[in-house]
Coordinates of all heavy atoms in Angstrom, one line a residue:
Chain A
A47 N -3.1 49.9 120.3 CA -4.1 49.2 119.3 C -3.4 47.9 118.9 O -2.3 47.8 118.6 CB -4.5 50.0 118.1
K48 N -4.2 46.8 119.1 CA -3.8 45.5 118.5 C -2.5 44.9 119.3 O -1.8 44.2 118.7 CB -3.6 45.5 117.0 CG -4.9 45.9 116.3 CD -4.6 45.8 114.8 CE -5.9 46.2 114.1 NZ -5.7 46.3 112.6
K49 N -2.2 45.4 120.4 CA -1.2 44.9 121.3 C -1.7 44.4 122.6 O -2.6 45.0 123.2 CB -0.1 46.0 121.5 CG 0.8 46.2 120.3 CD 1.9 47.1 120.7 CE 2.9 47.3 119.6 NZ 4.0 48.2 120.0
P50 N -1.1 43.5 123.3 CA -1.4 43.3 124.6 C -1.1 44.5 125.5 O -0.3 45.3 125.3 CB -0.6 42.0 125.1 CG 0.1 41.6 123.8 CD 0.1 42.7 122.8
L51 N -1.7 44.4 126.7 CA -1.5 45.4 127.7 C 0.0 45.3 128.1 O 0.5 44.2 128.3 CB -2.3 45.2 129.0 CG -3.7 45.8 129.0 CD1 -4.5 45.2 130.1 CD2 -3.7 47.3 129.0
E52 N 0.7 46.5 128.2 CA 2.1 46.5 128.5 C 2.2 47.1 129.9 O 1.9 48.3 130.2 CB 2.9 47.3 127.5 CG 2.9 46.9 126.1 CD 3.6 47.8 125.2 OE1 4.7 48.2 125.5 OE2 2.8 48.3 124.2
L53 N 2.8 46.3 130.8 CA 3.0 46.8 132.2 C 4.3 47.8 132.1 O 5.3 47.3 131.6 CB 3.3 45.7 133.1 CG 3.6 46.1 134.5 CD1 2.4 46.8 135.2 CD2 3.9 44.8 135.4
M54 N 4.1 48.9 132.6 CA 5.3 49.9 132.6 C 6.0 50.0 133.9 O 7.1 49.8 134.0 CB 4.7 51.3 132.2 CG 4.1 51.4 130.8 SD 3.4 52.9 130.5 CE 4.9 53.9 130.2
F55 N 5.2 50.3 134.9 CA 5.8 50.5 136.2 C 4.9 49.9 137.3 O 3.7 49.9 137.2 CB 5.9 52.0 136.6 CG 6.9 52.7 135.7 CD1 6.2 53.6 134.6 CD2 8.2 52.6 135.7 CE1 7.1 54.3 133.8 CE2 9.0 53.3 134.8 CZ 8.4 54.1 133.8
V56 N 5.5 49.5 138.4 CA 4.8 48.9 139.5 C 5.4 49.6 140.8 O 6.7 49.7 140.9 CB 5.0 47.4 139.8 CG1 4.2 46.9 141.0 CG2 4.5 46.8 138.5
Y57 N 4.5 50.0 141.7 CA 4.9 50.6 143.0 C 4.3 49.7 144.0 O 3.1 49.6 144.1 CB 4.6 52.0 143.1 CG 5.5 53.0 142.5 CD1 5.4 53.3 141.2 CD2 6.5 53.6 143.2 CE1 6.3 54.2 140.5 CE2 7.4 54.5 142.6 CZ 7.4 54.7 141.3 OH 8.2 55.6 140.7
N58 N 5.1 49.1 144.9 CA 4.6 48.5 146.1 C 5.0 49.3 147.3 O 6.2 49.5 147.5 CB 5.2 47.1 146.3 CG 4.6 46.1 145.3 OD1 3.4 45.9 145.4 ND2 5.4 45.3 144.6
F59 N 4.0 49.7 148.1 CA 4.3 50.6 149.3 C 5.2 51.7 148.9 O 6.2 52.1 149.6 CB 5.0 49.6 150.4 CG 4.2 48.6 150.8 CD1 4.4 47.3 150.4 CD2 3.3 48.7 151.9 CE1 3.6 46.2 150.8 CE2 2.5 47.7 152.4 CZ 2.7 46.4 151.8
K60 N 4.9 52.4 147.9 CA 5.6 53.5 147.3 C 6.9 53.2 146.8 O 7.7 54.1 146.4 CB 5.7 54.7 148.4 CG 4.3 55.1 148.9 CD 4.5 56.3 149.8 CE 5.4 55.9 151.0 NZ 5.6 57.1 152.0
E61 N 7.4 52.0 146.8 CA 8.7 51.7 146.2 C 8.6 51.1 144.8 O 7.7 50.1 144.6 CB 9.4 50.7 147.1 CG 10.8 50.3 146.6 CD 11.3 49.2 147.5 OE1 10.9 49.0 148.6 OE2 12.4 48.6 147.0
Q62 N 9.3 51.6 143.9 CA 9.2 51.1 142.6 C 9.8 49.8 142.5 O 11.0 49.6 142.8 CB 9.9 52.1 141.5 CG 9.7 51.6 140.1 CD 10.3 52.6 139.2 OE1 10.3 53.8 139.4 NE2 11.0 52.1 138.1
T63 N 9.0 48.7 142.0 CA 9.6 47.3 142.0 C 9.7 46.9 140.6 O 10.1 45.8 140.4 CB 8.7 46.4 142.8 OG1 7.4 46.4 142.4 CG2 8.7 46.8 144.3
E64 N 9.1 47.6 139.7 CA 9.2 47.1 138.3 C 9.3 48.3 137.4 O 8.7 49.4 137.4 CB 7.9 46.4 137.9 CG 7.7 45.8 136.5 CD 7.9 44.3 136.6 OE1 7.7 43.7 137.7 OE2 8.1 43.7 135.5
N65 N 10.2 48.1 136.3 CA 10.4 49.1 135.3 C 10.7 48.3 134.0 O 11.9 47.9 133.8 CB 11.5 50.0 135.6 CG 11.7 51.1 134.5 OD1 11.3 50.9 133.4 ND2 12.5 52.0 134.8
N66 N 9.7 48.0 133.2 CA 9.9 47.1 132.1 C 10.7 47.8 130.9 O 10.0 48.0 129.9 CB 8.6 46.6 131.7 CG 8.1 45.4 132.6 OD1 8.9 44.7 133.2 ND2 6.8 45.3 132.7
S67 N 11.8 48.2 131.1 CA 12.6 48.7 130.0 C 11.8 50.0 129.3 O 11.8 50.0 128.2 CB 12.9 47.7 129.0 OG 13.6 46.6 129.5
V68 N 11.3 50.7 130.2 CA 10.5 51.9 129.7 C 11.5 53.0 129.5 O 12.4 53.3 130.2 CB 9.4 52.3 130.7 CG1 8.7 53.5 130.2 CG2 8.5 51.2 131.1
P69 N 11.4 53.7 128.3 CA 12.3 54.8 127.9 C 12.2 55.9 129.0 O 11.2 56.1 129.7 CB 11.7 55.4 126.6 CG 10.9 54.2 126.1 CD 10.3 53.4 127.2
S70 N 13.3 56.6 129.2 CA 13.4 57.6 130.2 C 12.5 58.8 130.0 O 12.4 59.6 131.0 CB 14.8 58.0 130.4 OG 15.4 58.5 129.2
R71 N 11.9 58.9 128.9 CA 11.0 60.0 128.7 C 9.7 59.8 129.4 O 9.0 60.7 129.5 CB 10.8 60.2 127.2 CG 10.2 59.0 126.5 CD 10.1 59.3 125.0 NE 9.4 58.3 124.3 CZ 10.2 57.3 123.6 NH1 11.5 57.2 123.7 NH2 9.5 56.2 123.0
F72 N 9.6 58.7 130.0 CA 8.5 58.4 130.9 C 9.1 58.3 132.4 O 9.9 57.5 132.6 CB 7.8 57.1 130.6 CG 7.0 57.0 129.3 CD1 7.7 56.6 128.2 CD2 5.7 57.6 129.2 CE1 7.0 56.6 127.0 CE2 5.1 57.5 128.0 CZ 5.7 57.0 126.9
S73 N 8.6 59.1 133.2 CA 9.2 59.2 134.6 C 8.1 59.1 135.6 O 7.2 60.0 135.7 CB 9.9 60.5 134.8 OG 10.3 60.6 136.1
P74 N 7.9 58.0 136.3 CA 6.9 57.9 137.3 C 7.2 58.4 138.7 O 8.4 58.7 139.0 CB 6.8 56.3 137.4 CG 8.1 55.8 137.3 CD 8.8 56.8 136.3
E75 N 6.2 58.8 139.4 CA 6.4 59.4 140.7 C 5.3 58.9 141.6 O 4.1 58.9 141.2 CB 6.4 60.9 140.7 CG 6.5 61.5 142.1 CD 6.3 63.0 142.1 OE1 6.0 63.5 141.0 OE2 6.3 63.6 143.2
C76 N 5.6 58.3 142.8 CA 4.6 57.8 143.8 C 4.8 58.5 145.1 O 5.6 58.0 146.0 CB 4.7 56.3 143.8 SG 3.3 55.6 144.7
P77 N 4.2 59.7 145.4 CA 4.5 60.4 146.6 C 3.9 59.7 147.8 O 4.4 59.9 148.9 CB 3.9 61.8 146.3 CG 2.8 61.5 145.3 CD 3.3 60.4 144.4
N78 N 2.8 59.0 147.6 CA 2.2 58.2 148.8 C 1.4 57.1 148.1 O 1.3 57.0 146.8 CB 1.3 59.2 149.5 CG 0.3 60.0 148.7 OD1 -0.6 59.3 148.1 ND2 0.3 61.2 148.7
S79 N 0.8 56.3 149.0 CA 0.2 55.1 148.5 C -1.1 55.3 147.7 O -1.6 54.4 147.1 CB -0.1 54.1 149.6 OG -0.9 54.7 150.6
S80 N -1.6 56.6 147.8 CA -2.8 56.9 147.1 C -2.7 57.6 145.7 O -3.6 57.7 144.9 CB -3.8 57.7 147.9 OG -4.1 57.1 149.1
H81 N -1.4 58.1 145.4 CA -1.3 58.9 144.3 C -0.1 58.3 143.5 O 0.9 57.9 144.0 CB -1.0 60.3 144.7 CG -2.1 61.0 145.2 ND1 -2.4 60.9 146.6 CD2 -3.2 61.8 144.7 CE1 -3.5 61.7 146.8 NE2 -4.0 62.2 145.7
L82 N -0.3 58.4 142.1 CA 0.7 57.9 141.2 C 0.7 58.9 140.0 O -0.4 59.3 139.4 CB 0.4 56.6 140.8 CG 1.5 55.9 139.8 CD1 2.8 55.7 140.5 CD2 1.0 54.5 139.3
F83 N 1.9 59.4 139.7 CA 2.0 60.2 138.4 C 2.8 59.6 137.4 O 3.7 58.7 137.7 CB 2.6 61.6 138.9 CG 1.8 62.4 139.9 CD1 2.0 62.2 141.3 CD2 0.9 63.3 139.4 CE1 1.2 62.9 142.1 CE2 0.2 64.1 140.3 CZ 0.3 63.8 141.7
L84 N 2.6 60.0 136.2 CA 3.5 59.6 135.1 C 3.9 60.9 134.4 O 3.1 61.6 133.8 CB 2.9 58.7 134.1 CG 3.7 58.1 133.1 CD1 4.8 57.3 133.7 CD2 2.9 57.2 132.1
H85 N 5.2 61.3 134.6 CA 5.7 62.5 133.9 C 6.2 62.3 132.6 O 7.0 61.3 132.3 CB 6.8 63.2 134.8 CG 6.3 63.4 136.2 ND1 5.3 64.4 136.5 CD2 6.8 63.0 137.4 CE1 5.1 64.4 137.8 NE2 6.0 63.5 138.3
L86 N 5.7 63.1 131.6 CA 6.1 62.8 130.2 C 6.9 64.0 129.6 O 6.5 65.2 129.9 CB 4.8 62.7 129.4 CG 3.6 61.9 130.0 CD1 2.3 62.1 129.2 CD2 4.0 60.5 130.0
H87 N 8.0 63.7 128.9 CA 8.7 64.8 128.2 C 9.3 64.2 127.0 O 9.8 63.1 126.9 CB 9.7 65.4 129.2 CG 10.8 64.5 129.6 ND1 12.0 64.4 129.1 CD2 10.8 63.5 130.6 CE1 12.8 63.5 129.7 NE2 12.1 62.9 130.6
T88 N 9.4 65.2 126.0 CA 9.9 64.8 124.7 C 9.5 63.5 124.2 O 10.2 62.6 123.8 CB 11.5 64.8 124.7 OG1 12.0 63.9 125.6 CG2 11.9 66.3 125.0
L89 N 8.1 63.3 124.1 CA 7.6 62.0 123.6 C 7.6 61.9 122.2 O 7.8 62.9 121.4 CB 6.1 61.9 124.2 CG 5.8 61.7 125.6 CD1 4.4 61.4 125.9 CD2 6.8 60.8 126.2
Q90 N 7.4 60.7 121.6 CA 7.4 60.4 120.3 C 6.0 60.1 119.8 O 5.2 59.6 120.6 CB 8.3 59.2 120.0 CG 9.7 59.4 120.4 CD 10.5 60.6 119.7 OE1 10.5 60.7 118.5 NE2 11.0 61.5 120.5
P91 N 5.7 60.2 118.6 CA 4.4 59.9 118.1 C 4.0 58.4 118.5 O 2.8 58.1 118.8 CB 4.4 60.1 116.5 CG 5.4 61.1 116.4 CD 6.5 60.8 117.5
E92 N 4.9 57.5 118.5 CA 4.6 56.1 118.8 C 4.2 55.9 120.3 O 3.8 54.8 120.6 CB 5.7 55.2 118.4 CG 7.0 55.4 119.2 CD 8.0 56.3 118.4 OE1 7.5 57.1 117.5 OE2 9.2 56.1 118.6
D93 N 4.3 57.0 121.1 CA 3.9 56.9 122.5 C 2.4 57.1 122.6 O 1.9 57.0 123.7 CB 4.6 57.9 123.3 CG 6.2 57.6 123.3 OD1 6.5 56.4 123.4 OD2 7.0 58.5 123.3
S94 N 1.8 57.5 121.5 CA 0.3 57.8 121.5 C -0.3 56.4 121.9 O -0.2 55.3 121.3 CB -0.2 58.2 120.1 OG 0.4 59.5 119.8
A95 N -1.2 56.4 122.9 CA -1.8 55.2 123.4 C -2.7 55.5 124.5 O -2.9 56.6 124.9 CB -0.7 54.3 123.9
L96 N -3.4 54.6 125.0 CA -4.2 54.7 126.2 C -3.4 54.3 127.4 O -2.7 53.2 127.4 CB -5.4 53.8 126.2 CG -6.4 53.9 127.4 CD1 -7.0 55.2 127.5 CD2 -7.4 52.8 127.2
Y97 N -3.2 55.1 128.5 CA -2.4 54.8 129.6 C -3.4 54.5 130.8 O -4.2 55.4 131.1 CB -1.4 56.0 129.9 CG -0.3 56.0 128.8 CD1 -0.6 56.7 127.6 CD2 0.8 55.3 129.1 CE1 0.5 56.7 126.7 CE2 1.8 55.3 128.1 CZ 1.6 56.1 126.9 OH 2.6 56.0 125.9
L98 N -3.2 53.3 131.2 CA -4.1 52.9 132.3 C -3.4 52.8 133.6 O -2.3 52.3 133.7 CB -4.7 51.5 132.0 CG -5.7 51.4 130.8 CD1 -6.0 50.0 130.4 CD2 -7.0 52.1 131.3
C99 N -4.0 53.2 134.7 CA -3.5 53.1 136.1 C -4.4 52.0 136.7 O -5.6 51.9 136.5 CB -3.6 54.5 136.7 SG -3.3 54.4 138.5
A100 N -3.7 51.3 137.6 CA -4.4 50.3 138.4 C -3.9 50.3 139.8 O -2.8 50.8 140.0 CB -4.3 48.9 137.7
S101 N -4.7 49.7 140.7 CA -4.3 49.6 142.0 C -4.6 48.2 142.6 O -5.6 47.6 142.0 CB -4.7 50.7 143.0 OG -6.1 50.6 143.3
S102 N -4.0 47.7 143.6 CA -4.4 46.4 144.2 C -3.9 46.5 145.6 O -3.0 47.3 146.0 CB -3.8 45.3 143.4 OG -2.4 45.2 143.5
Q103 N -4.4 45.5 146.4 CA -3.9 45.3 147.7 C -3.1 44.1 147.7 O -3.5 42.9 147.7 CB -5.0 45.1 148.7 CG -4.6 44.9 150.2 CD -3.9 46.1 150.8 OE1 -4.0 47.3 150.2 NE2 -3.2 45.9 151.8
R104 N -1.7 44.2 147.6 CA -0.8 43.1 147.4 C -0.4 42.7 148.8 O 0.1 43.5 149.6 CB 0.4 43.5 146.6 CG 0.1 43.7 145.1 CD 1.4 43.9 144.4 NE 2.1 42.6 144.2 CZ 2.7 42.2 143.0 NH1 2.6 42.9 142.0 NH2 3.4 41.1 143.0
L105 N -0.6 41.4 149.1 CA -0.3 40.8 150.3 C 0.8 39.8 150.1 O 0.7 39.1 149.1 CB -1.4 40.2 151.1 CG -2.6 41.1 151.3 CD1 -3.8 40.4 151.8 CD2 -2.2 42.2 152.3

Side-chain angles (χ1 to χ4, degrees):
Chain A
K48 300 182 181 178
K49 282 187 174 182
L51 277 167
E52 300 172 57
L53 179 64
M54 300 174 72
F55 301 105
V56 179
Y57 277 85
N58 278 311
F59 297 96
K60 300 187 295 177
E61 179 186 345
Q62 185 176 321
T63 58
E64 183 103 16
N65 177 347
N66 281 333
S67 302
V68 179
S70 59
R71 56 186 184 268
F72 294 92
S73 173
E75 178 191 359
C76 188
N78 55 61
S79 58
S80 300
H81 294 86
L82 183 66
F83 296 90
L84 188 63
H85 303 300
L86 317 170
H87 63 97
T88 59
L89 294 192
Q90 304 297 310
E92 60 264 28
D93 297 323
S94 299
L96 180 68
Y97 289 85
L98 291 167
C99 173
S101 72
S102 70
Q103 183 63 19
R104 286 189 76 138
L105 304 171

